[in-house]
Amino acid sequence: MTYPSSLAKGGTVEWFHIAGHDGYLKVSFPDIPWETLRKTEGWAALQHHALLHSTFTMTPPPSGTGINTFTPVLVAEVRQASFFAIVPEPIPTDFTPTWHNGNIYNLLNSPIQLLPLPSSPSLESPTLYHIFVSGDYEIRLFGDPEDVENQETPVQRLEIRLDVLQEERLIAPQSQLDVVPDFVDGWVLSKDGALGIGMMALHSWWAVIGVESTTRGVQLELMEPRFRLAPLQTRVLPLRLRQTARYRGHSISISVIFQRNGSYPIEIKDDTMVVNFTIPVAQKQRWDKGGETYKATYHLESTPSYFMVKAPRHCNPDSPALLALHGAGVEAESTFWTGSIRAQNSSWIIFPTGRTSWGFDWHGPSSVYAWGALDAFRETLAGQREWKHCSIGDPRVLLIGHSNGGQGVWYHASRFPDRTIAAVAAAAYIKSQQYVPLSLSHGAHFTDIRLRMILESSLQPDDNDLFLSNLGSTPILAIHGGGDRNVPTWHTRELMSTLRSWYPNADARYHEVDDAPHWWDRVLSSNSVQDFIDNTLSRRHSKYPSNFTLTTLVPEENGSMHGFQIVEVARTGALARLRVQYSGNSVAVSTVNTRQFSLDLGKWGNISSITIDMQEVSFIRSPLSTLWFTRDKRSWRILERPQQVRVSGPMNRILATSQSLTIVTPQSDFYLHSALRIAHNSLSYLRIDSRIVSDEEAFQLFRQGLLDCSNLVILGGADNLFGQAILAKFPSVIKFIEGGWIIRGQRFDEPGQGIVFLHPHPICSTSLALFVSGTEISGFERALRLIPLRTGVGVPEWIITSNAADSMGAGGLLGAGYWGPDWEWNESLSWLAV
């Protein structure tokens, strides 16, 4: 049997056999004319999707063992593949495969992936199963084959291992997920004693009801009062460590008390048990000479995270810090990375994690962690008497990064200009769509232009080039190797060209090193880099320009520029701008797509006149010195306090949370297993913790006023009691019915259809709810795969898919769009296939 392919000679491909070794596979297609394709289409032609198929056999326990049931749990390790599915043999005609996310980034220290088999194996004879694997060749993952493989043919290097879970403990430690700070002179290097213990539950629900330490001088307390593990779930237990005295030991003994609150197939005498953990800790001396590196931790709300710091040679509380952003696949604690930047004379260097080594490319969820690390370390130093002399007084930073981290420098500097003193960006790319163009997208052949516009608009928050207007006053040093074969040198040249189109006299310089590769030893530690750092930190106070433009798309992901900040856009999903002209004591502002903005008068001295869109707005200076402006129809007025603003999309905003996700499921195994997949994926890719609760439990918490502000993922439609209660109190354009939903009179109840949409959180204006539903199992599966876990995936605030998406990609969508300012229908940014 053959299948159509535009890459192959003759336009078709067919199955062929490859052999692996010890779980490793090299997948390539040498008959494809890659060299010819590359000549016209570049890297885009090399990116391709492959489907792999194999089988495996489950052998039953030996006879006579007395085992009456055989329900093994699989341990799957699938690296550098996007999805995989286990399918029974024979394959039922109506079978819907469950697609599990693979570890496509080959992330280290990931949670173990556990999954039940799609059907129980036989107790009497071997049982055959199929495994299907989605292999996707991406330049960012595998590199240019000419460099990596010394050939034109791209090669996917995959690792696929399946085993049966042999773990017999009810709670199993997962030490690869532990979050443990260093101790410095006997004191924990953490703002709030943040400590995390990785653990996995088997077969039953377990709640943590207490914790204690037998280590002298150490006290522990729970950070989350309702911490609970679902069967087969892995989580990181957040703890707060308090010291009553210095501690110089090399491990901490912790006893965690669990209570069973679910069924378990083996009878146990007591519903409570104690599990002991021994956590190694590193003891280090206090910084004296400078250049020492340490691991620090903090709680972002209740989620423990680590970051690295490098001490200055001399302490000076007036000196700002350097915030160093690592490249894709680089661990923040790697000595390769922490050693790549010189120790500074009086500035700390902070190396945040971005959540994982890939994270969200330093955008959205990763950005929250980067700024959180800075703020936490400033509090850590200020809060310890022995360290106050070495504190960081200035909340601003000098940003520095390489590759994906260089791109992250452009991102942070242009989104948070008032927090950025200067920026050093090496080997950066502009955005994912220009790293490898989407011009060969299969789905584009079937997609209406209005739908394409909406999908592409959801990628705009990641487009660094759109926000370069915000860098008119920021000193920038951009560096790129002239022989870079990983990120083409064109990217930095184009960034500089675009910036100078906004500001011809921008304080930006570009250093291109002839024939240098993507990385070289002194890329961030050369004399020219250090001279730039020293010079900009010594003159970090500058006058504001006479005119500038502030660009914003998602207000929650953008800070202020010269005291101006866009708080609310008029049309979600579209760019908003403030063009500011300053002369004498007068400021004139012209707006684009802006509904509300603020101005910090403390940054502007003696302003006496403000004109907005040619309308003079009178004001009186208040002690708070911040003015909020809002537009009513065609006129502007000043507010006494900022108006409540809804959190806007795109859909990946559900991941920009500082708390755990709360996944709400109807009470069925199908929905529980779906929730476990979401929990595993978010923990693996972004270190986002998830709590799983039933719809009835969530409904009771809601009624009793005990629901917290964590973002919600609500599975199901009319069958989810909690979801229906939210929609009854806060109505949506989408109305669930039995077996489907209705939007503006159009009914969706055909097999294979799925929907995902954002909705306001029922009690917190700064949080979100995400509904995931389908007309039946296959539709729900398609909807589940639309939850964005990586950058470069265009999903707006609501989207409807169908079974046609399997062959037509985005052309199989039935609707997509953004909501209006008050969550109403947005005609200009919505599309339905009617």
Side-chain angles (χ1 to χ4, degrees), residues 157-233:
R157 295 179 177 271
L158 313 180
E159 182 180 354
I160 303 171
R161 302 176 188 275
L162 298 176
D163 205 346
V164 174
L165 181 66
Q166 304 292 340
E167 180 63 62
E168 296 182 355
R169 292 170 292 183
L170 303 180
I171 300 291
Q174 299 294 294
S175 58
Q176 78 276 18
L177 299 174
D178 290 350
V179 180
V180 184
D182 289 343
F183 280 68
V184 179
D185 280 353
W187 297 108
V188 64
L189 190 61
S190 178
K191 176 189 83 169
D192 45 14
L195 185 68
I197 303 178
M199 56 185 64
M200 175 180 67
L202 301 179
H203 307 299
S204 185
W205 292 84
W206 290 93
V208 174
I209 60 173
V211 63
E212 60 183 25
S213 175
T214 57
T215 301
R216 187 174 181 179
V218 172
Q219 298 176 345
L220 298 172
E221 62 181 79
L222 297 173
M223 286 291 295
E224 186 178 327
R226 295 194 298 270
F227 187 90
R228 185 171 59 184
L229 291 152
L232 305 184
Q233 185 183 11

Side-chain angles (χ1 to χ4, degrees), residues 521-547:
D521 287 343
R522 294 178 61 80
V523 59
L524 296 178
S525 61
S526 66
N527 290 337
S528 59
V529 170
Q530 192 57 52
D531 288 345
F532 175 83
I533 293 172
D534 293 339
N535 290 336
T536 52
L537 292 185
S538 66
R539 56 176 180 86
R540 59 182 186 267
H541 302 288
S542 59
K543 293 183 178 180
Y544 291 162
S546 59
N547 62 81

Side-chain angles (χ1 to χ4, degrees), residues 3 5 17 174 211 239 267 274 334 452 553 638 641 731:
Y3 303 86
S5 171
H17 178 76
Q174 299 294 294
V211 63
L239 300 174
E267 183 179 351
V274 177
S334 162
R452 197 183 312 170
L553 184 69
I638 293 179
R641 61 184 63 86

Side-chain angles (χ1 to χ4, degrees), residues 60 76 91 127 139 145 252 300 346 389 466 478 490 521 573 722 755 772:
I91 302 176
T127 304
I139 288 290
I252 297 174
L300 191 64
S346 58
H389 72 287
L466 292 179
W490 170 86
D521 287 343
F722 174 70
I755 187 169
V772 185

Side-chain angles (χ1 to χ4, degrees), residues 385-445:
R385 180 172 54 85
E386 293 89 341
W387 304 340
K388 279 187 177 181
H389 72 287
C390 214
S391 58
I392 304 170
D394 196 328
R396 300 173 301 160
V397 295
L398 185 147
L399 291 160
I400 185 169
H402 174 265
S403 190
N404 197 33
Q407 174 275 145
V409 166
W410 285 100
Y411 176 90
H412 282 87
S414 61
R415 297 341 184 262
F416 301 93
D418 277 350
R419 294 202 72 176
T420 303
I421 296 170
V424 179
Y429 62 92
I430 299 173
K431 54 188 175 185
S432 60
Q433 308 97 289
Q434 287 185 319
Y435 193 102
V436 178
L438 304 178
S439 54
L440 299 187
S441 165
H442 179 69
H445 300 306

